[in-house]
């Protein structure tokens, strides 16, 4: 009980500063506070001796191959996506059509906002998770024990875009421009994922998988004791898929064959990872896998995650395994759900060490 009380006291003290993890670093702390400590066993990463280096490389897929409209080239890309979605749940895409200048401006915009004066950032703090733009230090403050070494802001993009003035000036232009490209790339990726399922290329879009988009922009300050904490604890994503832009510092890891594999920064690449809803509607054909972010002495590290999901926004669409994928030999493995219903439970149990999706298994 004393430990719990101590944690709440430490948490209350941290929250009351309203300056986030960056505030701790700006105060030149040399030790990570206890509320951020993770068990050492959580960070261990012994590679199984029977796995080769080649088996531990996250696939990189060149989308430029499909730009010349040659059917065989598109089929080759679809085959690679199918393989990655089934075996890894993660892949990186290059030559994806989003200009490098737009990627760079997005990273700079996120950095600029997080490095604003605390008084500016405080204007965007709220306990209302439905606000169009929300700066929230750690959105998992009361659910996550221990806490994660990062600050974040969230922004709902679709289906109801925010008014430009709702977005801070520091990142306004970058967010608006980048998310336009994200929606276009999302359209293509949903087509390719549909084809990878052996279905009509429009099926996932017809199911409104492209309808909702929200982004979470993380700022990971340099950590004085990175072996004591994590940037983000292990979790799966509350999305159909997530499109991630990361800078060159690194730290993202995916759990593959019971080993934490680095997802190395590739210049100009975007990371795609399958989310819980995609695993559900594909009846376990595509995998939503656990991933995490290591803390780092270098920094700040910037990452921008765009989730194709309506999250907590009102959305009455019911999702279950796609009928065309089911058969007597492959019956439905999940109950039907709505995204807001799933998200509410997901957020209440985030980082508890278990996949929330397992609660919906038949």
């Amino acid at each position: 009980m004393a430990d719990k009380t101590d944690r709440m006291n430490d948490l209350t003290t941290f929250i009351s500063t309203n300056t986030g993890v960056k505030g701790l670093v700006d105060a030149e702390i040399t030790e990570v506070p206890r509320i951020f400590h993770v068990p050492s066993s959580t960070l261990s990463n012994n590679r199984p001796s029977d796995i080769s280096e080649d088996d531990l490389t996250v696939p990189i897929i060149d989308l430029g191959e499909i730009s010349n409209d040659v059917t065989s080239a598109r089929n080759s890309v679809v085959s690679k996506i199918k393989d990655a979605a089934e075996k890894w749940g993660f892949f990186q895409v290059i030559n994806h059509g989003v200009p490098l200048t737009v990627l760079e401006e997005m990273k700079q915009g996120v950095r600029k906002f997080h490095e604003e004066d605390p008084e500016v950032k405080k204007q965007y703090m709220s306990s209302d998770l439905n606000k169009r733009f929300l700066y929230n230090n750690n959105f998992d403050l009361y659910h996550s024990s221990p806490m994660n070494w990062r600050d974040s802001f969230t922004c709902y993009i679709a289906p109801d875009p925010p008014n430009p003035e709702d977005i801070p000036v520091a990142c306004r232009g970058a967010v608006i421009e980048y998310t336009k490209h994200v929606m276009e790339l999302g359209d293509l990726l949903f087509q390719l994922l549909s084809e990878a399922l052996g279905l009509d290329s429009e099926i996932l879009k017809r199911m409104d998988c492209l309808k909702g988009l929200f982004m979470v922009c993380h700022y990971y300050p340099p950590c004085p004791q990175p072996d004591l904490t994590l940037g983000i604890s292990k979790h799966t994503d509350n999305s159909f898929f997530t499109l991630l832009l990361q800078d060159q510092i690194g730290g993202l890891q995916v759990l593959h064959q019971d080993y934490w594999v680095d997802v190395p920064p590739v210049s100009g690449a975007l990371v795609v990872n399958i989310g819980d809803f995609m695993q559900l509607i594909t009846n376990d054909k595509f995998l939503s896998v656990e991933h995490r972010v290591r803390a780092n002495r270098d920094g700040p590290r910037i990452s921008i995650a765009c989730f194709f999901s309506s999250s907590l926004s009102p959305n009455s669409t019911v999702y279950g395994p796609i009928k065309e994928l089911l058969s007597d030999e492959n019956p439905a493995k999940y109950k039907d759900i709505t995204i807001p219903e799933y998200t509410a439970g997901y957020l209440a149990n985030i980082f508890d060490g278990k996949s929330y999706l397992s609660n919906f298994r038949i």
Side-chain angles (χ1 to χ4, degrees):
M1 189 65 187
D3 282 352
K4 221 168 189 179
T5 304
D6 288 346
R7 182 182 189 276
M8 282 309 297
N9 289 340
D10 291 347
L11 190 55
T12 303
T13 301
F14 171 74
I15 293 169
S16 67
T17 67
N18 284 334
T19 57
V21 177
K22 184 178 185 297
L24 298 176
V25 174
D26 289 346
E28 299 183 355
I29 62 163
T30 56
E31 295 184 354
V32 170
R34 289 171 306 173
I35 51 173
F36 293 92
H37 287 198
V38 300
S40 56
S41 58
T42 301
L43 292 170
S44 64
N45 198 22
N46 298 320
R47 180 186 305 177
S49 57
D50 58 344
I51 297 181
S52 73
E53 195 64 47
D54 287 344
D55 291 329
L56 295 177
T57 303
V58 175
I60 298 174
I61 298 173
D62 186 351
L63 297 184
E65 292 177 17
I66 62 175
S67 59
N68 56 10
D69 284 336
V70 176
T71 303
S72 59
R74 186 178 181 102
N75 289 345
S76 171
V77 169
V78 167
S79 176
K80 289 171 186 170
I81 287 176
K82 176 178 182 288
D83 199 54
E86 289 178 355
K87 293 177 181 170
W88 279 87
F90 260 77
F91 54 95
Q92 301 205 59
V93 290
I94 56 174
N95 296 318
H96 42 63
V98 185
L100 295 181
T101 51
V102 173
L103 301 182
E104 207 49 49
E105 282 163 13
M106 187 64 220
K107 287 184 284 190
Q108 288 305 320
V110 172
R111 182 171 182 150
K112 268 190 222 163
F113 173 78
H114 280 289
E115 293 179 355
E116 288 267 36
D117 186 281
E119 291 304 314
V120 173
K121 291 188 286 189
K122 276 182 201 172
Q123 299 169 44
Y124 296 95
M125 294 186 85
S126 172
S127 57
D128 179 4
L129 295 180
N130 274 311
K131 281 189 85 71
R132 309 303 294 161
F133 185 100
L134 178 64
Y135 166 63
N136 51 12
N137 302 147
N138 270 254
F139 58 82
D140 48 308
L141 278 173
Y142 291 103
H143 300 304
S144 178
S145 179
M147 282 181 54
N148 290 162
W149 192 261
R150 71 173 195 285
D151 297 332
S152 310
F153 70 74
T154 59
C155 187
Y156 283 83
I157 303 298
D160 302 309
N163 294 319
E165 55 270 26
D166 291 341
I167 305 171
V169 173
C171 57
R172 182 179 298 163
V175 165
I176 292 169
E177 183 64 21
Y178 177 64
T179 52
K180 269 194 257 174
H181 289 281
V182 166
M183 290 298 283
E184 288 173 12
L185 178 55
D187 189 313
L188 172 62
L189 287 168
F190 274 118
Q191 287 182 38
L192 297 172
L193 287 162
S194 297
E195 292 168 34
L197 290 167
L199 302 173
D200 179 271
S201 63
E202 300 297 308
I203 190 165
L204 293 175
K205 286 196 285 177
R206 285 200 300 268
M207 293 172 66
D208 283 342
C209 298
L210 186 64
K211 186 178 178 182
L213 183 73
F214 75 101
M215 69 191 312
V216 183
C217 300
H218 298 304
Y219 180 96
Y220 303 87
C223 182
Q225 295 173 302
D227 292 337
L228 293 182
T229 188
L230 281 166
I232 297 183
S233 302
K234 73 172 182 177
H235 65 288
T236 59
D237 279 1
N238 173 43
S239 65
F240 289 103
F241 72 79
T242 305
L243 197 63
L244 179 86
L245 169 60
Q246 60 171 341
D247 66 14
Q248 294 304 299
I249 289 177
L252 175 62
Q253 295 184 318
V254 55
L255 193 62
H256 181 70
Q257 298 184 24
D258 295 324
Y259 175 73
W260 287 107
V261 178
D262 291 322
V263 184
V266 173
S267 182
L270 290 163
V271 180
V272 180
N273 72 273
I274 301 299
D276 289 354
F277 304 137
M278 186 69 78
Q279 179 166 333
L280 181 142
I281 64 173
T282 64
N283 213 38
D284 285 350
K285 189 169 176 62
F286 292 167
L287 299 179
S288 175
V289 297
E290 289 181 323
H291 47 288
R292 69 182 187 183
V293 175
R294 296 291 300 260
N296 208 312
R297 284 190 189 278
D298 299 326
R301 176 181 182 265
I302 305 295
S303 75
I304 296 103
C306 286
F307 299 85
F308 283 94
S309 163
S310 55
S311 191
L312 290 166
S313 299
N315 180 356
S316 58
T317 306
V318 175
Y319 288 97
I322 298 170
K323 301 292 186 285
E324 290 89 335
L325 299 177
L326 304 180
S327 65
D328 290 343
E329 297 77 36
N330 183 35
K333 295 173 182 171
Y334 295 98
K335 305 171 195 167
D336 291 352
I337 58 156
T338 67
I339 292 177
E341 169 198 5
Y342 185 91
T343 302
Y346 171 92
L347 290 174
N349 294 278
I350 195 166
F351 305 137
D352 68 356
K354 299 192 293 283
S355 165
Y356 188 62
L357 185 60
S358 61
N359 294 308
F360 292 84
R361 279 197 175 274
I362 293 173

